[in-house]
Amino acid sequence: MRKSTHSFLLALLCAQAACVEDAPNGPTADDLAAARKDLLTAAPSPRYPVGAELGGKVVYLGLDVDPPVIVPTKKFTLTHYFKVVQPPGDWRLFTHLHGAGKTSFTNLDHTPVQGKYPVSAWKAGDIVRDVHEVTLEPGFKSSVVEIYIGFWKGDERMPILKGPDDGEKRVKAASIPVAGGAAPEPVAGPKRYVVRRIKDGLIKVDGKAGEAAWVDAAIAGPFVDTMTGAPAEQRTTARMLYDSKFLYVAFDNEDTDVWTTLTKRDDKLWTQEVDELMIDADGDGKTYVELQVNPAGTVFDTYLPVYRQREDAFDAEMKVAVSVQGTLDKRGDTDKGWTVELAIPLAKVVSPKAGFVPSSPRSVPPKPGEVWRANLYRMDWPKGPAGGRQAGWGWSPPLVGDFHQLDRFGALVFADDKGQVPVPVGAGGSGGAAGASAQGGAGGAQAANRTGPLPPGMAPRGPKAP
């Protein structure tokens, strides 16, 4: 589902390892006996009635909230009601909380009925009451908490056949007022980065990124929380360069615990620790490639002809190297971080498959002044699934729980070997990144690599988060 769980909200939760949902034999007789009090004989009349139908299997009847106005730092209770039409099977329940406008996020995934009655055990005719407690942190900056529910398994979510679908296959259950809540501070718009051209052969892909060209390259970052734009808990930055054949990208990750268990190509790297890059070279907000590398050097690459529809047979033919400043997979010590270096063939990004026709003309190599759209991300999970939570950080934060938010991608503006970008005809001597004249080296490039309006023709136009 690829959702970042970093947020200003704290959940009071069932640890996944203790959930009955994961038990191979399902709930015990004692579990079922304890759950019986929450299997109702008649449909309730919740304060927030919904009546959403999901997958022809479950009707979400609605929600009660106690107290009716939430006070940060004090517990409140969410009580969900479900009517089972058909046994759902091996789906799982999720509950998501947002501030107004999806400015913050927390994931309250849990096994229903205090862990005693998983969705896989539900029977036709059941009316299930699911109660759990939540606490908002003092810094929660919204006048409301928005409650969303749904069912998931693997990368799927159960479709909503009727009811308030927010476009992400989530039922919006209610907006609950928060005492003393305030509107969140505005977050800067999509980013831009001026990519300087270098001579062929200057970069050796060894995971160290120590060449003089890298030292002179501008820095993208530090990455921020993808949901809120707040500072990340561990620093991540990136740098980019290009020559006649390759786009070079170097990620620098501060990390006190470097780990992964995934070593198979095209595995679900995003479920652990990973660096990610998405590129929409022709800027149409539709077709793009997604590239990932984890601390073990394992690669995931895919081409997406439309939003989230992957073609994993795609091979980006990247050169990849990783260096770890510490010990990979030794969980008891303290590491410093890890560095990823990539050489991405420009031709594979401009034309990811045979017969591909860019929406806008693109050159290999890009001409100075040419603009691509892209975003860079990092997933981090210091304690792993056994504890803590996974965090998502990015260069140009999407501000929703979706890394594929193409209208929040930043702009990669290609410069010449001096870091200069020609001014578009009619644009005058100033303006956006496309009109910048970065005078070579880190200083000039940094001057052009700032947040602000996108270059001409780069107004956000991609799809909203589904």
Side-chain angles (χ1 to χ4, degrees), residues 190 280 283-288 307 373 402 404-409 454 457-466:
D280 175 10
D284 66 354
K286 298 176 182 178
T287 56
Y288 56 113
Y307 171 85
R373 301 175 72 189
D402 185 1
H404 296 250
Q405 189 76 1
L406 272 70
D407 61 1
R408 289 291 303 181
F409 279 19
L454 295 176
M458 285 296 296
R461 57 188 183 276
K464 298 297 182 183

Side-chain angles (χ1 to χ4, degrees), residues 21-310:
E21 194 100 40
D22 295 328
N25 299 318
T28 65
D30 288 344
D31 292 327
L32 294 175
R36 193 167 293 121
K37 64 181 175 57
D38 288 302
L39 298 180
L40 309 183
T41 57
S45 299
R47 178 182 179 88
Y48 295 94
V50 179
E53 298 178 8
L54 294 97
K57 298 177 181 295
V58 178
V59 177
Y60 178 66
L61 300 174
L63 173 70
D64 282 328
V65 181
D66 185 36
V69 178
I70 298 167
V71 179
T73 74
K74 294 186 178 181
K75 291 180 182 178
F76 63 97
T77 301
L78 300 178
T79 304
H80 303 278
Y81 301 96
F82 303 88
K83 182 177 180 179
V84 183
V85 179
Q86 297 181 24
D90 59 348
W91 292 89
R92 300 185 180 190
L93 173 66
F94 67 80
T95 305
H96 293 165
L97 273 62
H98 286 284
K102 300 183 179 178
T103 49
S104 56
F105 172 82
T106 197
N107 184 355
L108 301 183
D109 286 9
H110 66 287
T111 301
V113 191
Q114 294 78 51
K116 304 297 184 183
Y117 199 48
V119 174
S120 58
W122 290 6
K123 298 178 175 59
D126 281 350
I127 299 175
V128 180
R129 175 174 58 194
D130 177 41
V131 183
H132 57 129
E133 292 183 322
V134 186
T135 305
L136 298 186
E137 288 186 349
F140 179 65
K141 295 182 178 181
S142 177
S143 59
V144 297
V145 171
E146 297 178 348
I147 315 293
Y148 298 83
I149 71 97
F151 297 90
W152 68 277
K153 61 178 176 180
D155 290 334
E156 300 178 70
R157 286 182 176 169
M158 187 181 289
I160 300 170
L161 306 182
K162 177 183 176 182
D165 183 349
D166 78 331
E168 297 183 50
K169 294 184 181 178
R170 305 187 306 175
V171 175
K172 185 173 181 179
S175 292
I176 314 301
V178 176
E185 296 180 3
V187 178
K191 302 292 184 68
R192 61 189 174 210
Y193 184 97
V194 175
V195 189
R196 184 167 59 87
R197 181 161 180 171
I198 58 174
K199 294 181 180 179
D200 290 4
L202 286 185
I203 301 298
K204 178 183 179 182
V205 180
D206 55 8
K208 298 178 181 179
E211 292 88 350
W214 279 129
V215 174
D216 289 341
I219 295 175
F223 289 16
V224 296
D225 184 280
T226 59
M227 295 297 301
T228 67
E233 296 169 10
Q234 300 195 91
R235 182 180 174 88
T236 306
T237 59
R239 290 168 286 171
M240 288 173 271
L241 299 164
Y242 79 109
D243 61 18
S244 67
K245 296 180 180 179
F246 297 100
L247 172 68
Y248 298 95
V249 184
F251 289 86
D252 187 20
N253 308 290
E254 177 186 90
D255 197 342
T256 57
D257 183 17
V258 184
W259 72 279
T260 183
T261 64
L262 302 175
T263 58
K264 181 181 178 182
R265 185 184 178 88
D266 287 338
D267 208 342
K268 297 179 180 180
L269 305 189
W270 60 88
T271 62
Q272 295 185 357
E273 297 196 326
V274 72
D275 285 333
E276 304 186 16
L277 172 64
M278 299 186 190
I279 304 175
D280 175 10
D282 62 4
D284 66 354
K286 298 176 182 178
T287 56
Y288 56 113
V289 298
E290 179 177 0
L291 313 170
Q292 302 182 12
V293 182
N294 73 5
T298 309
V299 170
F300 170 93
D301 52 1
T302 190
Y303 163 63
L304 299 96
V306 294
Y307 171 85
R308 280 192 176 275
Q309 293 190 17
R310 300 185 339 225

Side-chain angles (χ1 to χ4, degrees), residues 2-7 223-233 236 270 272 274 276 376-381 389-395 397-398 403:
R2 310 283 310 281
K3 301 292 183 185
S4 167
T5 56
H6 182 56
S7 153
F223 289 16
V224 296
D225 184 280
T226 59
M227 295 297 301
T228 67
E233 296 169 10
T236 306
W270 60 88
Q272 295 185 357
V274 72
E276 304 186 16
L376 300 91
Y377 300 104
R378 174 186 171 191
M379 300 301 297
D380 183 68
W381 203 338
R389 56 172 177 74
Q390 192 180 34
W393 305 319
W395 169 54
F403 284 10

Side-chain angles (χ1 to χ4, degrees), residues 320-334:
V320 174
V322 177
S323 62
V324 176
Q325 296 81 56
T327 51
L328 178 63
D329 288 337
K330 186 175 181 180
R331 308 307 301 276
D333 65 352
T334 300

